[in-house]
Amino acid sequence: MTISHSGIEAIIEQTTDTALQNIAIKVKNKERINQTEGILLFEKGELGFLGSLANYIAQDLHQNKVYFNRNFHIEPTNVCVFTCHFCSYSRVYKHRDEGWELSMQQMMDIVRKYDNEPVTEVHIVGGVHPKMNLEFFCELLRNIKTHRPELHIKGFTAVELDYMFRKAKVTVEEGMKIMNEAGLQSLPGGGAEIFAPEIREKICADKVDGAGWLHIHETAHQLGMPTNATMLYGHYENYAHRIDHMHQLRELQDKTNGFNCFIPLKYRSGDNDMSHLGEVSLVEDMRLYAIARIFMDNFKNLKAYWPMLGRQSAQLSLSFGVNDLDGTIDDTTKIYSMAGAEEQNPAMSTEDLCNLIKSVGKTPVERDTRYNELKNYGLNEQI
Ligand code: V47
Ligand code: SF4
């Protein structure tokens, strides 16, 4: 669905609620909405209204394009010193026999498996293992770079980095520089969860707090490393907490312009300490994507991570402001399948991804990690 300039005029005209109408006018004029208005969208904005505004913005930023990249994941371990209550994936150290701990050789075997594949990025993320330290991961980074120098390494959440740096007794600035020199080029967005201390306390009390997460990302940006940002939603948080989280990210982006994209992550309730909460509905998911697109005006890209959301919902999100579907991924990530996501072995070929994008009238474009366009798979382009 494309919302033209006259289309948004019609939306403005048809909206009877004055506050919502003012928001629509701001969107048309490319003006930023404030936190009160963000909360109002959650409280009052109905799906069609939100979708129309989000689509208008996405169309303006990206025309009809939807990005994806070719990547694979390495999950070094699921053994973790932390005990986030939403996590279905981790195992504590004393139960490490139930989990996995990959050796250097095993991780390099994963890298070598893709030797003849046109992948552009490796995404490394896992549990916080008490014995896998800064030195070990720097060696991994160097080994990957020696083996395949052009492969972009995006790795380690702020939670993993915070633990590694504290254990190695280096500052965030020193640690980040060491990792960067060893080959780390960008950071994924994980570990942000929800910044509000009263909710963070409830779901992941023992890991790095919101200010610490933001500091690590700011430091990466200062070194010229782009990063992503996530938000875990659909648990104990209310609308004000969501807007506060997005507001803090928006403020840092104003300062550094170092974020590549924003990735809302829907809480999945399978087999963890918070399972009793259940999950929010598909309509809530789409409303959230649309509001994120409207509120995060300085984030160029909004990503739906399909292994977590499921491919059909991810496809639907393309009509609610989303312009990026992450990657082909192969079947190398377990974090969501263990939390009950529909995708038990998430793998999609380039052809599958392109067809999924084309079937909602959008144009698939392969990108690299920094969102440089590598190939446009327009309607008649051979896959
Ligand atoms: O921080 C863990 C989330 C994150 C659950 O930057 C859960 O490109 C929902 O951040 N339900 C890690 N979410 C993964 C992550 C990520 C994934 C894909 C791409 C990128 C990127 C980043 O996964 C954690 C946490 O927020 N998570 N358990 C769960 N039960
Ligand atoms: Fe550990 Fe990450 Fe799971 Fe938290 S979400 S328990 S930090 S693996």
Side-chain angles (χ1 to χ4, degrees), residues 1 171 241 278:
M1 180 174 54
T171 64
H241 296 129

Side-chain angles (χ1 to χ4, degrees), residues 156-163 165-166 171-173 176 187 190-197 200 207-221 227 248-249 252 259:
F156 310 107
T157 64
V159 175
E160 295 166 89
L161 295 171
D162 171 68
Y163 183 84
F165 297 163
R166 279 190 293 116
T171 64
V172 169
E173 288 72 14
M176 200 59 81
L187 307 189
E193 321 313 356
I194 277 278
F195 295 143
R200 211 171 173 85
K207 71 186 187 189
V208 67
D209 63 9
W213 188 97
L214 288 162
H215 177 57
I216 288 177
H217 282 254
E218 183 170 357
T219 308
H221 298 171
T227 74
Q248 293 199 48
L249 292 172
L252 181 55
F259 287 115

Side-chain angles (χ1 to χ4, degrees), residues 64-351:
N64 230 17
K65 292 175 195 166
V66 173
Y67 294 110
F68 68 93
N69 71 346
R70 298 198 208 215
N71 63 1
F72 64 97
H73 285 218
I74 297 177
E75 295 183 353
T77 183
N78 67 339
V79 173
C80 191
V81 297
F82 297 119
T83 51
C84 305
H85 295 307
F86 54 80
C87 184
S88 320
Y89 161 92
S90 65
R91 296 293 178 267
V92 292
Y93 188 66
K94 73 171 181 219
H95 293 145
R96 62 188 184 282
D97 51 320
E98 293 169 14
W100 67 88
E101 298 162 298
L102 301 185
S103 64
M104 186 64 68
Q105 168 84 31
Q106 286 170 316
M107 289 192 274
M108 288 309 295
D109 285 345
I110 297 176
V111 176
R112 278 188 281 268
K113 207 175 109 191
Y114 292 90
D115 274 356
N116 297 313
E117 303 282 338
V119 290
T120 58
E121 174 191 279
V122 53
H123 178 154
I124 308 173
V125 71
V128 180
H129 193 294
K131 304 223 160 116
M132 289 181 175
N133 58 17
L134 183 62
E135 210 178 302
F136 176 76
F137 283 123
C138 282
E139 194 188 335
L140 173 67
L141 294 167
R142 281 191 292 268
N143 288 343
I144 296 174
K145 279 289 166 197
T146 305
H147 181 73
R148 194 164 174 178
E150 83 290 358
L151 188 67
H152 179 106
I153 310 183
K154 174 178 83 175
F156 310 107
T157 64
V159 175
E160 295 166 89
L161 295 171
D162 171 68
Y163 183 84
M164 252 186 255
F165 297 163
R166 279 190 293 116
K167 230 172 165 194
K169 296 193 170 44
V170 295
T171 64
V172 169
E173 288 72 14
E174 289 162 348
M176 200 59 81
K177 208 155 171 271
I178 293 170
M179 292 292 262
N180 187 220
E181 280 166 6
L184 186 66
Q185 288 162 287
S186 65
L187 307 189
E193 321 313 356
I194 277 278
F195 295 143
E198 66 273 28
I199 305 297
R200 211 171 173 85
E201 189 67 27
K202 250 180 153 162
I203 65 172
C204 55
D206 50 0
K207 71 186 187 189
V208 67
D209 63 9
W213 188 97
L214 288 162
H215 177 57
I216 288 177
H217 282 254
E218 183 170 357
T219 308
H221 298 171
Q222 280 158 354
L223 287 172
M225 299 162 76
T227 74
N228 294 339
T230 58
M231 174 174 78
L232 183 71
Y233 71 92
H235 43 89
Y236 296 106
E237 88 291 357
N238 62 28
Y239 297 150
H241 296 129
R242 291 178 185 179
I243 290 293
D244 166 68
H245 187 94
M246 291 195 264
H247 177 66
Q248 293 199 48
L249 292 172
R250 197 170 76 170
E251 297 259 284
L252 181 55
Q253 180 74 330
D254 274 345
K255 202 166 156 191
T256 64
N257 199 27
F259 287 115
N260 265 339
C261 72
F262 179 54
I263 318 165
L265 295 172
K266 174 193 179 118
Y267 164 65
R268 306 302 313 244
S269 65
D271 201 21
N272 58 56
D273 297 346
M274 292 164 31
S275 295
H276 60 281
L277 294 179
E279 294 181 3
V280 296
S281 68
L282 180 61
V283 169
E284 253 321 276
D285 295 330
M286 297 306 126
R287 292 180 75 243
L288 185 129
Y289 279 109
I291 295 169
R293 183 59 286 167
I294 298 165
F295 190 82
M296 308 287 271
D297 62 338
N298 54 2
F299 276 67
K300 195 143 187 233
N301 300 295
L302 179 64
K303 186 195 280 190
Y305 185 57
W306 66 264
M308 175 273 283
L309 200 58
R311 62 191 79 191
Q312 287 189 5
S313 305
Q315 188 179 36
L316 191 61
S317 73
L318 301 179
S319 299
F320 291 86
V322 167
N323 71 292
D324 184 19
L325 287 182
D326 200 81
T328 42
I329 293 175
D330 211 328
D331 61 353
T332 43
T333 178
K334 299 190 185 65
I335 192 158
Y336 293 106
S337 52
M338 289 173 78
E342 294 76 4
E343 307 287 344
Q344 282 310 301
N345 292 302
M348 248 204 279
S349 65
T350 306
E351 192 177 356

